[in-house]
Amino acid sequence: MLDTWLTRELGITLPLVGAPMGGRAGGALAGEVTRAGGLGLIGAARYNTAEWLDTEARTAREVGGGLLGFGLMTWSLHDDDALLDAVLALEPRVVTLSFGDPAPFVERAHAAGALVLSQINTVDDLRVVEAAGVDAVVAQGHEAGGHTGRIGTLPLLQEILESTSLPVLAAGGIASGRGLAAVLAAGGEGAFVGTALLASPETVGPAYARGRLVDAGSTDTVYTDVFDKARHQPWPQRWGGRALTNAFTERWHGAGADEQTLADAYTADDPDTGVVYAGEAAGLVTAERPAGDVIRDIGAQADELLARFR
Ligand SMILES: Cc1cc2nc3c(=O)[nH]c(=O)nc-3n(C[C@H](O)[C@H](O)[C@H](O)COP(=O)(O)O)c2cc1C
């Protein structure tokens, strides 16, 4: 039994959160993670419509049994916060507001009954989200898949744990019970799991993405902004995205090309150019497996490892 602030607060059995992953984590994936005992979050991307969110929320609830959560990118809400309203209308139990200052949005999320968690990448970020009134923080390390900061998960987790009285979770590179056990033994309340779920049949996204992840090893990722530029995604410069390497990153990462050149060279449906965001835990993903099995195995292995100390 892995009993933490997270499991008690949400009434779940495993201190595991299916990470919000825009374009990859919809209702089916989130629901399976929740059904397995964690909480699966739906990744709400800027291009998602209220209809899409509604459909995915229904699926997540049908599969997972009621508990619902979404992850949003805070910087994108500063221009247009309609996505937050659409999400809160669905009465989620958890909302993550990551990458930016959530101060303008936390009170609204609380009023709608949601717990607010923020993924953070530095101690300065911690101070910003503490001041905004979030309920818990997630130390997200450089090895994470998708957009992230520049400090590794383990040093960041230790620094954040030493610096706050808020509950702290970890994200980035956690793909087995060994990773979860390390986080819990360090004093964390749980872990976000992203990459480990990305070879699951319940993911959405391009057909080639799961196979490319299974074939990739832990040295086959790159932290880059070339895909944001190629896809005209206006991410603030401080956050790069970790993706699997391919012919596109070999040619363009670090080449200093302008946004239009990159956009002209980019084709989403071609695996040689299309982006597959994934983290260094890619080396631990060796088969396409149902999300529920992945989550249950991580929980059981962590429980077994931690039993050594009981
Ligand atoms: C494909 C992909 C898409 C992601 N999209 C988002 C997102 O929309 N919002 C967000 O807060 N984090 C996003 N992330 C980051 C994850 O929430 C999480 O921090 C990360 O997956 C944890 O590291 P791991 O991949 O090593 O498990 C994404 C990650 C991946 C791999």
Side-chain angles (χ1 to χ4, degrees), residues 19-24 43-45 71-73 96 98-99 119 140-141 143-148 171-175 192-196 198 235 242 276-281:
M21 296 186 284
R24 301 300 308 278
L72 296 121
M73 290 166 298
T96 64
S98 306
F99 313 118
Q119 301 198 72
Q140 187 207 31
E143 54 269 62
H147 289 83
T148 189
I174 297 147
F192 274 36
V193 172
T195 296
L198 285 178
W235 270 86
R242 183 173 298 285
V276 178
Y277 282 119
E280 292 180 347

Side-chain angles (χ1 to χ4, degrees), residues 7-8 13 22 26 36 76 150 159 233 238 248 291:
T7 59
R8 289 189 296 277
T13 53
S76 72
R150 290 160 196 273
E159 201 180 359
Q233 298 286 319
R238 62 167 284 209
F248 192 82

Side-chain angles (χ1 to χ4, degrees), residues 19-203:
M21 296 186 284
R24 301 300 308 278
L29 185 73
E32 289 296 345
V33 171
T34 305
R35 189 152 74 121
L39 169 66
L41 300 180
I42 297 171
R46 289 189 315 141
Y47 51 81
N48 289 146
T49 61
E51 291 71 33
W52 184 85
L53 294 170
D54 189 50
T55 307
E56 300 305 309
R58 268 172 218 274
T59 304
R61 282 199 157 115
E62 269 163 32
V63 176
L67 203 58
L68 184 66
F70 289 94
L72 296 121
M73 290 166 298
T74 312
W75 61 265
S76 72
L77 300 176
H78 287 283
D79 295 334
D80 178 1
D81 61 5
L83 196 62
L84 179 65
D85 287 332
V87 158
L88 294 180
L90 297 165
E91 300 180 354
R93 182 70 189 98
V94 170
V95 168
T96 64
L97 295 172
S98 306
F99 313 118
D101 182 357
F105 315 113
V106 171
E107 218 174 279
R108 267 155 70 190
H110 281 162
L115 275 182
V116 180
L117 277 60
S118 283
Q119 301 198 72
I120 55 171
N121 307 111
T122 64
V123 170
D124 286 349
D125 293 344
L126 169 68
R127 298 303 172 220
V128 169
V129 303
E130 276 180 333
V134 304
D135 301 292
V137 295
V138 186
Q140 187 207 31
H142 188 54
E143 54 269 62
H147 289 83
T148 189
R150 290 160 196 273
I151 305 171
T153 302
L154 201 46
L156 183 66
L157 175 64
Q158 294 168 83
E159 201 180 359
I160 299 295
L161 281 164
E162 292 292 337
S163 308
T164 187
S165 54
L166 287 175
V168 179
L169 288 79
I174 297 147
S176 76
R178 298 185 192 285
L180 176 60
V183 170
L184 298 177
E189 305 292 344
F192 274 36
V193 172
T195 296
L197 296 169
L198 285 178
S200 301
E202 299 89 355
T203 51

